[in-house]
Amino acid sequence: MRICVWNVNSARTRLERMAGLLERHDVDVLAVQETKCRDHQFPAARFEELGYRVAHHGLNQWNGVAIISRVGLDDVVTGFPGQPGFTKDQKLEQLAEARHIAATCGGVRVHSVYVPNGREVGDPHYDYKLRFLEALRDAGKASLDDDPAHKAMIGGDFNIAPRDEDVWDMAFFEGKTHVTGPERAAFEALQEAGFRDVTRPWTEGQWTYWDYQQLRFQKRQGMRIDFQLATPALAETVTGAFIDREERKGKGASDHAPVIVDYDV
């Protein structure tokens, strides 16, 4: 089974690129982040024409996640236990955002996750990011405690560069989010809970994101913030992985590259 995770930065804008990716790489399951649309606005018909089923979770023009599968799409759930919410006015009710969707595809539980950006250290959104990651870790650990042998993958845009080599210049990121100790510890906690980073062994030294500004892609100034984390039972089935850097090129590209992993299930 070939699973791809990709922050498309607007599903409607990137529709044909998404369809092309599915066909070009023969993808079985595409876990999408940052669709930037409501459910009724998501272009599901295009994927259904290609033989895929679609589950989308979008509440407004921000965030949004989806799973596009041709190997089954069962037990769809949006949001995970304990998922915190966020509202700009901290005095108001903190509402859950469209940042998680899960479904069972060909016997694998696929989670598409869009972790909050964090904005700036000290900003309420930074604390929200850490609480989101802690709750995700707790939910993931609980699922493994219930069934240590189940096959599941948590994948998407984690908005964290876990190691110094995962950014083009650590000096540039000094004092900024994505590289702070608490963020990296939160990512490590997911792995300590049992979810293995199955992409790095096959794609060491590669990046997944290049900011649109300052010609970062052309200058080779990227970051590694998109991952697939698999349970032990699923991680043992990995036969290969790659990052489609070519998809970041050309007019109308997302600022993220697709991350693709092959599982022999």
Side-chain angles (χ1 to χ4, degrees):
M1 183 186 301
R2 174 163 283 186
I3 301 179
C4 173
V5 301
W6 189 14
N7 179 324
V8 297
N9 192 12
S10 176
R12 288 174 290 179
T13 301
R14 241 63 70 182
L15 174 58
E16 289 308 317
R17 279 183 172 264
M18 294 166 68
L21 176 98
L22 292 174
E23 295 185 305
R24 184 171 65 257
H25 290 308
D26 198 25
V27 172
D28 294 302
V29 182
L30 174 59
V32 184
Q33 301 82 50
E34 207 170 358
T35 61
K36 293 186 175 180
C37 61
R38 300 176 186 271
D39 289 345
H40 74 277
Q41 297 171 315
F42 189 81
R46 180 70 176 92
F47 303 108
E48 291 167 354
E49 291 174 355
L50 298 175
Y52 291 80
R53 295 172 59 191
V54 176
H56 178 263
H57 179 39
L59 301 175
N60 47 42
Q61 73 272 32
W62 309 112
N63 309 315
V65 285
I67 297 175
I68 301 168
S69 171
R70 66 178 182 186
V71 291
L73 191 70
D74 303 312
D75 301 321
V76 176
V77 173
T78 60
F80 55 87
Q83 179 180 335
F86 183 82
T87 303
K88 187 174 182 179
D89 187 341
Q90 295 294 290
K91 297 179 181 179
L92 299 178
E93 180 183 1
Q94 302 299 287
L95 302 174
E97 297 180 308
R99 293 185 176 275
H100 170 271
I101 189 170
T104 300
C105 308
V108 176
R109 191 66 176 167
V110 176
H111 299 260
S112 179
V113 177
Y114 180 38
V115 174
N117 177 279
R119 298 177 184 169
E120 297 180 359
V121 177
D123 188 286
H125 209 261
Y126 178 78
D127 176 66
Y128 166 50
K129 179 179 189 175
L130 297 179
R131 289 187 290 110
F132 183 98
L133 288 161
E134 181 180 12
L136 181 63
R137 180 262 181 198
D138 290 346
K141 184 178 185 303
S143 69
L144 274 174
D145 288 344
D146 288 342
D147 182 6
H150 87 284
K151 296 181 175 67
M153 186 280 297
I154 301 175
D157 179 0
F158 284 82
N159 270 314
I160 298 172
R163 302 181 185 177
D164 288 357
E165 58 265 32
D166 293 336
V167 297
W168 60 274
D169 182 3
M170 274 299 295
F172 175 84
F173 285 92
E174 184 177 356
K176 296 182 174 68
T177 60
H178 292 57
V179 300
T180 66
E183 290 169 293
R184 288 180 168 181
F187 187 87
E188 181 62 28
L190 279 165
Q191 297 184 84
E192 291 174 352
F195 289 86
R196 303 178 190 172
D197 176 359
V198 295
T199 54
R200 189 180 294 276
W202 302 85
T203 60
E204 193 64 75
Q206 299 181 40
W207 295 322
T208 66
Y209 167 84
W210 299 260
D211 198 323
Y212 287 131
Q213 300 180 17
Q214 304 297 319
L215 298 175
R216 297 294 184 203
F217 184 73
Q218 291 81 352
K219 295 176 181 178
R220 302 180 183 274
Q221 297 175 345
M223 303 175 67
R224 184 189 188 95
I225 59 176
D226 305 85
F227 303 91
Q228 292 194 35
L229 306 182
T231 59
L234 183 61
E236 292 173 359
T237 72
V238 174
T239 59
F242 63 97
I243 297 167
D244 184 5
R245 186 178 181 277
E246 294 298 307
E247 186 54 52
R248 178 60 178 81
K249 297 180 179 179
K251 183 179 180 180
S254 170
D255 45 2
H256 293 254
V259 179
I260 301 171
V261 179
D262 290 324
Y263 301 92
D264 184 8
V265 293

